[in-house]
Each structure stands twice: as C-alpha cells, then as structure tokens.
Amino acid sequence: MADAIRALAIDAVEKAKSGHPGMPMGMADAATALYTRFLKYDAADPRWPDRDRFVLSAGHGSMLLYALLHLTGYAGMTIEDLKHFRAIGSPAAGHPEYGHHPAIETTTGPLGQGLATAVGMAIAERHLAARFGKSLVDHRTWVICSDGDLMEGISHEAASLAGHLKLNKLTVLYDDNHISIDGSTALAYTEDRLKRFQAYGWAVKQVNGHDPAELAAAMSYAIRSPRPTLIACRTIIGFAAPTKAGTAAVHGAALGPDESAGAKQAMGWNYGPFEVPEGIKEKWEAAGRKGQGARRSWLKRLANHPQKDEFERAISGKLPEAWHERLAGWRQQIAAEQPKIATRVASQKALEALVPSIPELIGGSADLTGSVNTLVKGMPSIGPGEFGGRYIHYGVREHGMAAAMNGMALHGGIIPYGGTFLIFSDYCKPAIRLSALMHQRVVYVMTHDSIGLGEDGPTHQPIEQLAGLRATPNLHVYRPSGAMETAECWELAIKRADGPSLLSLTRQNLSETRTDAGENRCARGGYVLEEASGERRATLVATGSEVTIAQTARKMLEEAGIPTALVSLPCFELFAAQDASYREQVLGSALRVGVEAAIRFGWDQWIGPDGIFIGMTGFGASGPLDKIYAHFGITAEAIAAAVRKRLG
Amino acid sequence: MADAIRALAIDAVEKAKSGHPGMPMGMADAATALYTRFLKYDAADPRWPDRDRFVLSAGHGSMLLYALLHLTGYAGMTIEDLKHFRAIGSPAAGHPEYGHHPAIETTTGPLGQGLATAVGMAIAERHLAARFGKSLVDHRTWVICSDGDLMEGISHEAASLAGHLKLNKLTVLYDDNHISIDGSTALAYTEDRLKRFQAYGWAVKQVNGHDPAELAAAMSYAIRSPRPTLIACRTIIGFAAPTKAGTAAVHGAALGPDESAGAKQAMGWNYGPFEVPEGIKEKWEAAGRKGQGARRSWLKRLANHPQKDEFERAISGKLPEAWHERLAGWRQQIAAEQPKIATRVASQKALEALVPSIPELIGGSADLTGSVNTLVKGMPSIGPGEFGGRYIHYGVREHGMAAAMNGMALHGGIIPYGGTFLIFSDYCKPAIRLSALMHQRVVYVMTHDSIGLGEDGPTHQPIEQLAGLRATPNLHVYRPSGAMETAECWELAIKRADGPSLLSLTRQNLSETRTDAGENRCARGGYVLEEASGERRATLVATGSEVTIAQTARKMLEEAGIPTALVSLPCFELFAAQDASYREQVLGSALRVGVEAAIRFGWDQWIGPDGIFIGMTGFGASGPLDKIYAHFGITAEAIAAAVRKRLG
C-alpha cells in the first residue's frame, strides 16, 4: 500500500517536471500506518468536526497528502487531479493550500508553520472538549514534519508551549532522514532532537520509519502518553530510488525516467503511470471508510446532546444573536462620557463587552498581558492539563502565538485574539501572512504602535510595520483614533468571518474624537470627521493617535481663515474598497495632508506624490512622550505651518 | 561593588520614572564577577580589536550596562549621562543603542537578537583567528540573557548553530530568575533549559547568581570548555528590594521612593542618589584598567606582525584597492555576450568576481545554497571547529543567519552575505531591521522573488515583501533587471559601508537589458533605459524581471505610434535620494505606468494615484512559469492594452 503512495508521487512529480518526491517516498510507510490504523477520519465527510486533524508540516512533500486523499477515496482528488499536480487551479497545488480541498486542514510550506499551527488545533480540541464534553469532542492532532521544520525557530516556540501545556493528544511524526537541501544534516544540524523535545516535556520514541510494526507500536504509545509525543522515524529519503535514495538529489526535483523506472522495479511495481491496481485501491478505500462507524455514532451522540445547537453554532463560526448588545452599550457610554484613555485600554473595554457575549473568544498575549490589555474579567487561564479557561499565556513567543491562533481558527469553534507590541508583528509576520492567505478570523491586538510609546526607543517604535502590514493582501489593519473607533474596529474584526484583522493601538492616552454612537463609521475605512467651515482649502487625513493632533491643527488653520477638513482613516483596506466617488468626496480636491507617526510609504495613494506628509522619515528615538513628538516634528504647529507655507 | 550597580540602576530608573530595575539588580553580582575578573577590556580604548565582546541580550536591563561603563571609567558615560537615562540624545537610551557609545557592541531590546548576534561575533572571532593567527585575534564573546531571550524562536536557531559549530569561546550568562512580565515563568515556560542546551551540544552549569565564588568557578569552567557554555544564574529579580524582589512588579517600572529607600537600606548603601563612594569607584576603575597590559602587549604584537596592514585594513572595513577589477571584467563580458540567465545566476557570477578580490566576504545560505547561488569556487565551508573557510551552511535558520551576519559585521573584519528566498525575508525581518538601525554592511541575497518562481505557489511567492522592505528606513532594496544591473547592484552593496543592502533576484532566466558597461547606472536608483522615439505619451517604469516584459510592451506601443519611454527602477531608495529635477526628467510628465509582479503599495510615489499599475492585487498561485504571468495579467499585451485604453 505504501508503494502506491510512492508510485503516485513519482508519477505526479515526473509529469509536472517539478516537485518533491523524496519525502513522500521516505514517509510513505509512516503515512500508511497512520491512515490505515490510527487516524480517525471518514473520507466521505472531510469536515466531520470530531475527525482527527492531520497536518503535513513539511508541505513540500504535498504529493504524500494528495496520494493519501486520492487512495482513501476522498471526492475532489481524482487521478486526473494528480495528473495536474502543480498546475493552476488544481486541488493538488505545489504545496497544500487550505481551501483547495476540504481535507487539507491548513496551508503548509513555510517551514515550521504546520507544526505550530497544529499546536493551536490541539489546544482548540482540548478547550472544546472542556466546553462541550468528550462525547462531542475527542480527537487527536497528527503532524508529519521534517528536519527543516525542527530547525526553524518557530518549532521551538510551538514545541515548548505544547510541552508546557501537556497537549497529550498531539503527535508528531518526524521524518528523520538526515538530509536537507544543502546535503547531509551533518553540515548544519547536529543537535540531539530527542533530548531537545524531552527538555520541552514531550514523550519521545525513535523507530525505523520503514518498519510498520515499530511505527504502529510508537503510535500506540503516543496515544497512551500523558504528554505530546515526538516519534523520530528514521527514514531514507527517496526510499526505493536506485541511485538517488538517501541523497539531497531526490529532495526537490523529478527523478527522471530511468531513476523512476528503477524505483518502480525495486518496489516490484509493474504498473503504468498513475495506475493503481484494483486490489490495492480497494484496501486503501476500505481504510478510508474505517471511520464511518465512529462518525455515525458521533452523529447520534450529537443529535441527543443538550448543547447540540450551541455546538453547531460555535463550529460553524456563526456569532451568538446578541453578541453586540453590550458593545453598543459601551459605545453609548463613550459618547456620553468622552473618556480620555489609550486605545489599548479602549480595546480592553471593548473586550469586556465582547468576551462575555461570545464564548468562542479565546484571548492571550505573548507575555505582555498587562501592557496590551488583552485580559478581562471572567477569563481563567488555560494551563497545563487545564483547558476550560479562555486566556492563554503564550510566553515570549509571538510567532508561536500567531500560528497557534491560526490553528484554533482552522479547527473551528474558536475565535482567537492575541496581543503583543506592534513592533513584534515583525516576529510573527509569516504566520500573519498565513492567516490572510487562509482567510481565517484571527484578531491581532498590537499596541505601543508608534514613537508615542516613548522611552523604549527605536527598537520598540514601529516605523515601517504599518506599511508592511497594509501591503499584505486580505489583512485588515485598523488604527483607531479613540475609544469609539476602537469599539467600531473591534466590531468589524469580529464580524469579518473570512479574514484576519489587526488592531494598531496606542500606549498613550488620547482625547476622544467622537460624540456620535450610531452608525459604525469605521466600516467605510475612512470618513470626514470634521468638515471645513467653508470651501475646503486643505484636507488633513490622519489615523490613530495623530487624529487629535490633526484636530488641533485644523482648529489653528480654521482660525487662520483656512477652511480645513479632517478625515479619519482607520482602515486603508476598507476605504480602498469603497467606490471612487465616496473616496473623492471624503478626500476632496483641496491640498491633502497625511498625518501618521510612521513612514510615508503607501500614503501617496491617498495624498498623491504632491501631498504633504507629516510623519517619520527614519527610525525613532528613546525619550519621554511629551518630548518625542516635538523632536520628530509631528505636531499641530508643524502641520499648520506646512499647510500655510504651501498655500502661500 | 555589585551594590553600586544596583544603586545606580535604582536611581536612574527612579529619575527617568521609567525603565527596568529588576534585571540589573538581579544580575549585578554576575556582571561584577565578569567585569572584575573575566572580561578582557580596557576602558581607555573601547574599540581595541582584540577586546572581549559583551552583549546584553536582555537589553531592557540597559542600566546594568550603563552602570558598568560608568563605574569602570569609560569616557562618554558620565554620572550626568546616567541622570539623563532614557532622555532624547542621551548615550543611556532606553535600550542599548549601537553608536550611542563606543562600548555598546550591538543594539538590543527585541528579545533573542543579542544572543543570536553574539553567535555571529563568535564566528567572526574564530574566522579571523584562523586568518590572522591567535596572536592578533584571541578573544571571547560573553552574553547576558533572560528567560524572554530563551523563549524566542531565534534563540533556538542561534544556539543550535553555535552548538553545531562548537563555538567554545561563547559564554552565555542566563538570568534564571523565574519571572517574566506576566508573572512566574511557571505560567508559560517550564521547559528544562539546561537539558535543551545540552541537546544543542553546549556545556551547561547552574549556579547561585548571587554567589561570587560559584559564578567565578562557572566562568572559569566555561573558558576551559571545548563547547559554548550556558551558565544558568539562579537570581532574584530586583534583589534587595524589600517587598518587590522576586516579583514581576520590579521588572519594568520604577521602584518608587519607599521601595528604593528600603532596597538601599537592605544593601547598607548610605549614599545619596547617583553617589558612589570614592573607595568603591576606585576599585571599579582599577577593574577598568586591568586589561591595559593585555592591550599594550597586543599592540606590540600587531606592530611586528607581517599582516599588520592587512589586518588594519580588514578591521577598518576598507576594501582592497583592486576590489572591483574582476567585476569590471565581468561587466564587459555581459555587454559583449548578452547572457540570458536568471539574476540569481548573475549574482553568482558577480560573486565569482568579488569573492577572490575581497577576503572579508563570508557567504552562506539558510539551506538553499544551490537555489540561491551563494556559493562560488574557493569558498571552503566553515564547520565545527574549522573556521578558516568562507562559507556557512546556516541550516534552515533564516532568522539566525541574519542576526549572525549582524554580529559578524559588528565584530569587524568581515563583510557577510547570506541567501534565502525573498519570501523568507519575513522570517528574518527583525534582524534585517537591526542591520538597518545599526548601519551595518550586511548583504541579503533574496531569490525566487515573485510569482516567476512558479509551481511552489502562494506560500513561496512574495507579493508584499518588497513593499515592507522598501518601507524599512536605511535599507537599500535592489531589484535588478538582468546580469548587468545585478553586477552594478552588487557593486553598490559592497561599496555601501554604512548600511545593509538586499538583492531581490529571479529564479527564471531573463534576457539581458543592457549593452553598455561603463557607468554604474543603478547608482542613481532609476534611469531611462529606452527613450521614446518622439514626445513621450507614456513612460513605463519597471523593475527586475518585469523590465523585459515592459520592453516588449514599449515596442508594441511604439509600433502602434505611441512614443513610449522605458525606465528601469532597480532601487527606490537611491532614486528617492536624487534631486527632484533628475527624477522628473526620468519619470516624465506623460502617462506613467508601473510594472512589477508585486503589490502596488508604495508605487504611487512614482506613478501617482492616477498612474496605471500592472502587477499583483492579491496572493499568487501554483503553476508553471509560462502560465502564471498570463494568469495574473502581467504581460506585454496587458500593459500595451492598458496604455492604449487610457490614451483613448
């Protein structure tokens, strides 16, 4: 049966003339043991909520997964699809892409991400089991990973967190093949992997990755283990290839006709390309049906479960009916009381309204809880063996946090949010990108979002981060100007079921910019906050903490007889999605002035190359808040002076 | 003597009303042992090349370093400077900033970076010792790091690499205080750190971090060890603070008057704020002079050394006289032969000219050597205990590679370059940012720079990376269009002594765009590659692999009677630095059309909001090269059609 995987991997890579045959050929035995004996799944229902999750962290070996899906009888992965491996529009893309096939649990390829995402899935399972009981939620998470995955820093963050939390239902099959792209792992990677994972609190096993009995024994052990388990499968990359097996040559290129033929001969595989003999296909399809009984009895349990409706709602991602009522109350309160608070605190207030209303919200922070204001009352911690809580202390592991949030969102039943400083979005960008690529509802709470954080200086002051994030497709970046906009942005982030949102929030207190609590004005991305008193001669366009600075500048200009409008632009992406006439009306045809304590890069789309920009031109500096804005010339006086100068 | 550090840390944080007193108070004893007995330094000459390097990876504890520099008698860190801790322009910034004081070896603060940078310093020392001999290069690298450093993924990459390379002259003092910002490390961080580092191949020791004898014994052990050493110093954060010691409360805020007074009382420190009694100051200054003898004998050895001039040239960062002669030859060859090669291959050709000419060039790749073309002949590998080579197999450790390159550049005597795929610039962005912030000559070779990489699909196709990198202050991003521009960009990157450069290179072959080999035309960032045949009606502005596509489009438009110019724009930053009249002349006043297989974000500065942009609007897709450009509409036909449509 394993040879069927190998043969399909050889043929598909050969036909595509590109791809990675080595890993599928090496891990075919381990995957066969998993899919025939241990993985709980039913090929007839790939989205069955209580299925085991399987993550191919070494995503370059995608043909392993596609072969398995085809052989076990999943719809939508036909032999024709395999013949179109790596072609545009094929479900069998170069790397496994979430959304291309319902049984692809996550997008993998950037190394380490799959493993770290799986940690999130395993947390989600434990939490939902605590919430709904074992009769509805009781499944495992399985990962296949490579040397590359384990070399990446994110693997450390994820594995250390998983060990800490004692995620016993997580098992990693490590393809220990001693080969990486540059050659032998001895060139660069000689750490003791088993000892390292033991240090993380994992159970570990070492097996011959081509011995089904050893593999099965290790998987049985993993299932009984009270800790996450790493099974190092000693394999030969490109197993069966006559001359290239065990070398880097078989990692990332087609074998070529001779080597392919030799491999098939070595396996005793006497069939044409893409041909799987009936007997072997039948065995595989029987394996694909093995979980039917488990699924049927689960469906029965669900039908009789008192929380049936709530479970189905949660898993579907539908919000509870009254989810925004408390938030509406908080918005009324803002309008009435005009609090002068930092937007990070306003975010906490919004969360105080949302968390009790939406049980799916699971918060956390990368060891900055008190600074990023992500914890609210009624959120006990999730800790080792204790998964009923709703708050995760991720430790100083920004990247691991972001990937775990992806895993929770992908698992379903959870809406994760997590906080760190905006500067550290750099540390988790690869996982943020995957949230966007996979259209997952993950909310990033990123505070201390400018030089306004003060004394911590240039290493902590974001300058180019907003530009880099706004450039990321499908990510909504919000930079609210006060408590009201923060509440509105949170509302939009929660409502957005098909993509991630990032809130850029201040450390410093701000005067409230809004008195109205009706329409969610942030929904259009940008709007006229204050219209000019006469025909506009200038339009100030600002975001976040700079809106109140621009407000003062507007007042100065108005007093100087220059009718000036003020536009708040909390979300570039939503504003760009409005029709051109709305945008023109908001931005106007008078002199446009952008104001943001960040780099100009990206602003010319709103203000044009001839517009004035008041912001940063380089890195920040260490100094107190009251001095730092003046030091960099981001003041109401500077704005007003620049406008007066330009208007002559 | 340690109490003097504590008192100064208390006073400076108290006066600034912000900062981190806990770590300096906890690690004062370890730092005292290091600076009085082990660290080789001479406060009179902070840049002495054979000094030991000290890196405070836990940069938030910056007052520890500033107190040490002040006490040991370094110029430029006066008691007045300490009174201006965290003020604008002070050498005593919130976090240690490279360039603010000559004894600050590197900028730290973003956790994990210091440790990973130190690994690069330690590699540099070993390599230069192999090149110049032990009589000129024989020093150690010492690091103080925290729990936060060790939780970060980059610590894994760096420590695993250091263990692999057996960097025996690297010693890490780990402030094992059981406290992080959220509270006890038991909340999130329970791995066995010593076992983990043993797995990496490090020697480890555990000591009472307040016992000078234990500390000294462990440091002596580290010096003798044939491997890098981690010394876990069990400390009490905020040691001596009567109520806050051992709690998170002392980590990141001033103690307050009562707690400060209590701490001083507990220490028996009966002096006013910023007062250090003469006797203690004298002892510290004696420690600061202890290395004078070693420095003087080193100077004598240097004076008599046959490689004196070469050593001084290398350390100063000055290039050898004839460094670009071979490159000039290669440029002549390009003009004559018009090679049709990928720019990644053109980069290798440029390196073949540069590597033999500049002994300081040390190359490497994050396990993509064959793909990113960073290895050329005459570059033996640097391996465990073998440091005479010039090429580093970094493993799949992009972040660790980038930080190590920072460390090598900071150490001096090395010009590091390292390669990976452009998409993985996301994985190393925090370290790239530090290259830019610290003005270090580090060259990033980033290939597979667009959808042009083909089948590997959206996880591997950069879309927003160029925007994010171009937005980063002080980073030069080059996207050359062919072999000639690649050679020119390499020349500029090498010449640029005060900042990092990043080369964005193709996987796919390109037709050569240039026939002239005289002036380095990339030096102005952008230039007219082909002028219009008559008065311009359109200007196509393209970069990298899209220049030849635009070239074809220009031809089509010219044939259709539309005079069209073609501008190549390999470097936004250099083009932005030209005077406005040059830029206007290049870009012209006709319709501007940007062409780049990436997101539009940032392009409006050149083409304006009304310009046409032919590029990407979202993530890429898996498919072969010949299909993928057409799929996304980035073709000469599409460019020409868009221009014709706009011109009516």
Side-chain angles (χ1 to χ4, degrees):
Chain A
M1 288 173 80
D3 287 340
I5 297 174
R6 292 191 179 98
L8 287 174
I10 292 171
D11 292 340
V13 174
E14 205 61 22
K15 180 149 195 306
K17 295 193 180 65
S18 88
H20 300 77
M23 194 280 237
M25 294 171 75
M27 284 298 279
D29 297 306
T32 302
L34 179 62
Y35 268 73
T36 57
R37 298 187 52 185
F38 294 95
L39 191 77
K40 181 170 78 169
Y41 69 108
D42 178 353
D45 184 1
R47 305 304 291 172
W48 166 33
D50 201 33
R51 71 192 179 278
D52 281 2
R53 303 307 196 262
F54 171 69
V55 174
L56 185 70
S57 191
H60 55 274
S62 56
M63 264 311 300
L64 179 71
L65 179 58
Y66 304 149
L68 287 163
L69 298 184
H70 169 69
L71 290 167
T72 51
Y74 281 92
M77 192 61 80
T78 64
I79 201 80
E80 281 307 306
D81 291 325
L82 299 190
K83 288 180 186 167
H84 289 88
F85 176 51
R86 296 169 83 89
I88 295 174
S90 167
H95 290 83
E97 299 290 345
Y98 180 78
H100 282 218
H101 187 280
I104 297 174
E105 302 283 2
T106 180
T107 294
T108 51
L111 289 170
Q113 296 292 336
L115 172 58
T117 302
V119 169
M121 292 178 179
I123 295 172
E125 191 272 349
R126 293 287 71 201
H127 172 75
L128 293 173
R131 182 173 166 202
F132 292 105
K134 204 178 142 125
S135 71
L136 290 191
V137 184
D138 184 16
H139 54 267
R140 304 186 60 80
T141 304
W142 301 86
V143 179
I144 286 183
C145 82
S146 63
D147 285 300
D149 287 297
L150 297 189
M151 280 191 257
E152 288 288 359
I154 190 174
S155 74
H156 162 61
E157 300 183 16
S160 178
L161 180 63
H164 167 74
L165 290 175
K166 301 193 201 303
L167 292 174
N168 62 308
K169 298 178 82 178
L170 173 67
T171 304
V172 175
L173 306 172
Y174 156 43
D175 180 15
D176 185 13
N177 63 24
H178 294 209
I179 291 294
S180 67
I181 291 176
D182 275 9
S184 162
T185 51
L187 274 177
Y189 188 51
T190 48
E191 69 184 37
D192 182 336
R193 288 74 129 170
L194 295 190
K195 191 170 182 176
R196 174 184 156 211
F197 272 73
Q198 281 177 325
Y200 294 144
W202 287 51
V204 298
K205 279 280 171 196
Q206 192 154 26
V207 299
N208 175 347
H210 302 298
D211 181 328
E214 279 193 31
L215 285 160
M219 292 186 209
S220 297
Y221 167 83
I223 287 174
R224 294 188 310 270
S225 163
R227 296 174 288 167
T229 304
L230 179 82
I231 303 174
C233 308
R234 181 67 184 96
T235 63
I236 296 167
I237 189 171
F239 186 84
T243 70
K244 296 184 178 174
T247 75
V250 79
H251 165 80
L255 294 184
D258 292 353
E259 189 78 5
S260 296
K264 288 190 180 174
Q265 198 179 350
M267 296 190 291
W269 189 266
N270 303 313
Y271 312 103
F274 296 102
E275 189 187 334
V276 180
E278 208 41 55
I280 290 177
K281 186 75 167 84
E282 265 168 28
K283 274 195 199 170
W284 269 113
E285 286 176 358
R289 283 188 302 267
K290 236 170 34 70
Q292 279 187 358
R295 183 170 66 90
R296 284 189 192 132
S297 53
W298 181 86
L299 284 170
K300 274 185 210 145
R301 292 199 299 277
L302 176 67
N304 300 317
H305 200 282
Q307 288 168 283
K308 175 178 185 291
D309 293 347
E310 181 67 355
F311 178 82
E312 288 183 327
R313 183 195 62 70
I315 285 289
S316 75
K318 228 182 111 183
L319 297 167
E321 293 237 336
W323 70 274
H324 49 16
E325 276 180 16
R326 280 172 193 243
L327 192 68
W330 164 234
R331 292 184 62 220
Q332 294 293 346
Q333 199 183 331
I334 298 167
E337 295 177 6
Q338 298 283 298
K340 190 182 162 143
I341 54 180
T343 48
R344 62 175 169 150
V345 176
S347 168
Q348 182 170 4
K349 293 281 192 180
L351 281 169
E352 283 170 4
L354 291 167
V355 165
S357 313
I358 308 174
E360 287 74 56
L361 274 173
I362 300 287
S365 162
D367 196 41
L368 286 169
T369 295
S371 300
V372 298
N373 300 72
T374 37
L375 179 61
V376 303
K377 261 180 280 179
M379 292 194 113
S381 290
I382 285 176
E386 291 172 1
F387 296 96
R390 293 181 61 187
Y391 193 83
I392 302 176
H393 293 280
Y394 288 101
V396 188
R397 302 182 181 105
E398 300 85 3
H399 203 177
M401 172 175 77
M405 291 202 290
N406 284 339
M408 286 185 254
L410 286 163
H411 180 280
I414 287 177
I415 302 174
Y417 70 87
T420 184
F421 292 161
L422 180 60
I423 194 76
F424 300 134
S425 61
D426 278 357
Y427 273 77
C428 41
K429 172 70 199 321
I432 296 175
R433 185 173 210 259
L434 285 176
S435 312
L437 180 58
M438 298 192 287
H439 292 268
Q440 292 305 297
R441 179 161 51 189
V442 172
V443 186
Y444 294 93
V445 181
M446 300 280 191
T447 72
H448 295 56
D449 74 343
S450 77
I451 53 166
L453 65 84
E455 291 90 343
D456 276 341
T459 55
H460 283 55
Q461 293 163 352
I463 301 298
E464 75 280 20
Q465 280 63 28
L466 286 169
L469 294 164
R470 286 170 179 154
T472 306
N474 201 36
L475 174 66
H476 286 186
V477 179
Y478 294 100
R479 193 162 188 256
S481 67
M484 183 66 73
E485 285 194 359
T486 304
E488 292 180 354
C489 293
W490 257 113
E491 186 176 84
L492 295 166
I494 295 294
K495 261 170 132 163
R496 184 176 193 227
D498 64 346
S501 301
L502 185 146
L503 282 79
S504 166
L505 303 169
T506 68
R507 176 182 189 230
Q508 71 271 30
N509 288 341
L510 302 174
S511 296
E512 180 53 34
T513 55
R514 289 266 300 278
T515 52
D516 58 309
E519 184 198 352
N520 183 328
R521 299 180 78 185
C522 292
R524 304 196 79 170
Y527 60 94
V528 178
L529 183 63
E530 294 176 2
E531 194 41 279
S533 63
E535 195 185 340
R536 283 195 205 177
R537 293 194 61 207
T539 302
L540 310 182
V541 187
T543 76
S545 41
E546 285 68 71
V547 171
T548 48
I549 295 174
Q551 212 164 16
T552 307
R554 175 186 171 273
K555 215 172 145 200
M556 293 164 73
L557 288 164
E558 286 275 352
E559 283 166 8
I562 301 173
T564 302
L566 172 60
V567 169
S568 178
L569 193 62
C571 182
F572 278 26
E573 298 78 26
L574 287 176
F575 190 60
Q578 305 305 308
D579 55 42
S581 66
Y582 175 77
R583 290 202 307 266
E584 277 308 308
Q585 176 201 324
V586 169
L587 296 175
S589 53
L591 172 66
R592 294 178 187 174
V593 184
V595 189
E596 182 168 70
I599 207 94
R600 180 176 181 144
F601 201 90
W603 267 87
D604 285 6
Q605 65 185 305
W606 312 127
I607 60 174
D610 298 327
I612 293 171
F613 184 75
I614 305 287
M616 299 294 288
T617 56
F619 292 109
S622 170
L625 171 63
D626 58 350
K627 302 251 163 64
I628 201 105
Y629 271 88
H631 179 74
F632 287 107
I634 306 174
T635 62
E637 292 72 21
I639 299 167
V643 170
R644 278 196 304 261
K645 190 175 166 201
R646 178 71 70 87
L647 293 179
Chain B
M1 289 172 81
D3 288 340
I5 297 174
R6 292 190 179 98
L8 288 174
I10 292 169
D11 292 341
V13 175
E14 205 61 22
K15 181 151 194 304
K17 294 193 180 64
S18 87
H20 299 77
M23 195 280 241
M25 295 171 76
M27 283 298 280
D29 297 306
T32 302
L34 178 63
Y35 268 73
T36 58
R37 298 188 51 186
F38 294 94
L39 192 77
K40 181 170 78 168
Y41 68 108
D42 178 352
D45 185 359
R47 306 303 293 171
W48 167 34
D50 201 35
R51 71 194 179 279
D52 281 2
R53 304 306 195 263
F54 171 69
V55 174
L56 185 70
S57 191
H60 55 272
S62 56
M63 264 311 298
L64 178 70
L65 178 59
Y66 305 148
L68 286 164
L69 298 184
H70 170 70
L71 289 167
T72 51
Y74 281 91
M77 192 61 79
T78 65
I79 201 78
E80 281 307 307
D81 292 325
L82 299 189
K83 288 180 186 168
H84 289 88
F85 177 51
R86 296 169 83 87
I88 295 174
S90 169
H95 290 83
E97 300 290 346
Y98 180 79
H100 282 218
H101 186 281
I104 297 174
E105 302 282 1
T106 180
T107 293
T108 51
L111 290 170
Q113 296 291 337
L115 172 57
T117 302
V119 169
M121 292 178 179
I123 294 172
E125 191 272 346
R126 291 288 71 201
H127 172 74
L128 293 172
R131 182 173 167 201
F132 293 104
K134 204 176 141 127
S135 71
L136 290 192
V137 184
D138 183 17
H139 53 268
R140 306 186 58 81
T141 304
W142 301 85
V143 179
I144 287 183
C145 82
S146 63
D147 284 300
D149 288 297
L150 297 190
M151 280 191 258
E152 288 287 0
I154 190 174
S155 73
H156 161 61
E157 300 183 16
S160 178
L161 179 63
H164 167 74
L165 290 175
K166 302 195 198 307
L167 294 174
N168 63 307
K169 298 177 81 175
L170 173 67
T171 304
V172 175
L173 306 171
Y174 156 44
D175 181 15
D176 183 14
N177 64 25
H178 293 210
I179 292 294
S180 67
I181 291 176
D182 275 11
S184 164
T185 50
L187 275 177
Y189 189 50
T190 47
E191 69 184 36
D192 182 336
R193 286 75 127 171
L194 296 191
K195 191 169 182 176
R196 174 182 156 213
F197 272 73
Q198 281 178 325
Y200 293 144
W202 287 51
V204 300
K205 279 279 171 194
Q206 193 155 27
V207 300
N208 176 347
H210 302 297
D211 181 328
E214 280 193 31
L215 285 161
M219 291 185 210
S220 297
Y221 167 83
I223 288 173
R224 293 188 313 270
S225 163
R227 295 174 289 168
T229 305
L230 179 83
I231 303 173
C233 309
R234 181 67 183 98
T235 64
I236 295 165
I237 189 170
F239 185 86
T243 70
K244 294 183 179 175
T247 74
V250 80
H251 165 80
L255 294 183
D258 292 355
E259 188 78 5
S260 296
K264 289 189 179 177
Q265 200 178 352
M267 297 189 292
W269 190 266
N270 302 313
Y271 313 103
F274 296 101
E275 189 186 335
V276 180
E278 208 41 54
I280 289 178
K281 186 74 167 86
E282 266 168 29
K283 274 196 200 170
W284 269 114
E285 286 176 357
R289 283 188 302 268
K290 234 169 37 70
Q292 279 186 359
R295 181 169 69 90
R296 284 189 193 133
S297 52
W298 180 86
L299 283 170
K300 273 185 212 147
R301 290 198 301 277
L302 176 66
N304 299 318
H305 200 282
Q307 291 168 283
K308 174 179 186 289
D309 293 348
E310 181 67 355
F311 178 82
E312 288 183 328
R313 182 195 63 70
I315 285 290
S316 75
K318 226 182 114 186
L319 297 167
E321 293 237 336
W323 71 273
H324 49 16
E325 275 179 19
R326 281 172 192 244
L327 192 67
W330 163 235
R331 289 184 63 219
Q332 294 293 346
Q333 198 182 332
I334 297 168
E337 295 177 6
Q338 298 283 300
K340 190 181 162 144
I341 54 180
T343 50
R344 61 174 169 152
V345 175
S347 168
Q348 183 171 1
K349 293 282 194 178
L351 282 169
E352 283 169 5
L354 292 166
V355 165
S357 314
I358 309 173
E360 288 73 57
L361 274 173
I362 301 286
S365 162
D367 196 40
L368 286 170
T369 294
S371 301
V372 299
N373 301 71
T374 37
L375 179 61
V376 303
K377 262 179 280 179
M379 293 194 111
S381 290
I382 287 176
E386 292 172 359
F387 296 97
R390 292 181 63 188
Y391 194 83
I392 303 176
H393 292 281
Y394 288 102
V396 188
R397 302 183 182 105
E398 299 85 3
H399 203 176
M401 171 176 77
M405 291 201 291
N406 284 338
M408 285 184 256
L410 287 162
H411 180 281
I414 287 177
I415 303 174
Y417 71 87
T420 184
F421 292 162
L422 180 60
I423 193 75
F424 300 133
S425 62
D426 279 357
Y427 273 77
C428 41
K429 173 69 199 323
I432 297 175
R433 185 173 209 260
L434 285 175
S435 312
L437 180 58
M438 296 191 289
H439 293 268
Q440 292 305 297
R441 178 161 50 188
V442 172
V443 186
Y444 294 94
V445 180
M446 301 280 193
T447 72
H448 294 58
D449 74 343
S450 77
I451 53 166
L453 65 85
E455 292 90 343
D456 276 343
T459 55
H460 283 56
Q461 293 163 350
I463 301 298
E464 75 279 20
Q465 280 64 29
L466 286 168
L469 293 164
R470 286 171 179 153
T472 305
N474 201 36
L475 174 66
H476 286 187
V477 179
Y478 294 100
R479 192 162 189 259
S481 67
M484 183 67 73
E485 284 194 1
T486 304
E488 292 180 353
C489 293
W490 258 114
E491 185 176 85
L492 296 166
I494 294 293
K495 259 170 137 164
R496 184 176 194 227
D498 65 346
S501 302
L502 184 146
L503 281 79
S504 165
L505 304 168
T506 68
R507 175 183 189 230
Q508 72 271 29
N509 288 341
L510 301 174
S511 296
E512 179 52 36
T513 55
R514 289 266 300 279
T515 52
D516 58 309
E519 184 198 352
N520 183 328
R521 299 180 78 184
C522 292
R524 303 194 82 169
Y527 61 94
V528 178
L529 183 63
E530 295 176 0
E531 192 44 277
S533 63
E535 197 186 337
R536 282 195 207 178
R537 293 193 62 208
T539 303
L540 309 183
V541 188
T543 76
S545 43
E546 285 68 70
V547 171
T548 48
I549 295 174
Q551 214 163 15
T552 308
R554 175 186 170 275
K555 216 174 142 196
M556 294 165 72
L557 288 164
E558 286 276 351
E559 282 166 9
I562 301 172
T564 303
L566 172 60
V567 169
S568 178
L569 193 63
C571 183
F572 278 27
E573 298 78 25
L574 287 177
F575 191 61
Q578 306 304 310
D579 56 41
S581 67
Y582 175 77
R583 288 202 307 268
E584 276 308 308
Q585 176 200 323
V586 169
L587 295 175
S589 54
L591 171 66
R592 295 179 186 174
V593 184
V595 189
E596 183 168 69
I599 207 93
R600 179 174 182 146
F601 201 89
W603 268 86
D604 285 6
Q605 64 186 305
W606 311 127
I607 59 174
D610 297 328
I612 292 173
F613 184 74
I614 304 288
M616 299 294 290
T617 55
F619 292 108
S622 170
L625 170 63
D626 58 350
K627 301 252 164 63
I628 201 107
Y629 271 89
H631 180 74
F632 287 107
I634 306 174
T635 61
E637 293 73 21
I639 297 167
V643 171
R644 279 195 304 261
K645 191 176 164 199
R646 179 70 70 87
L647 294 179

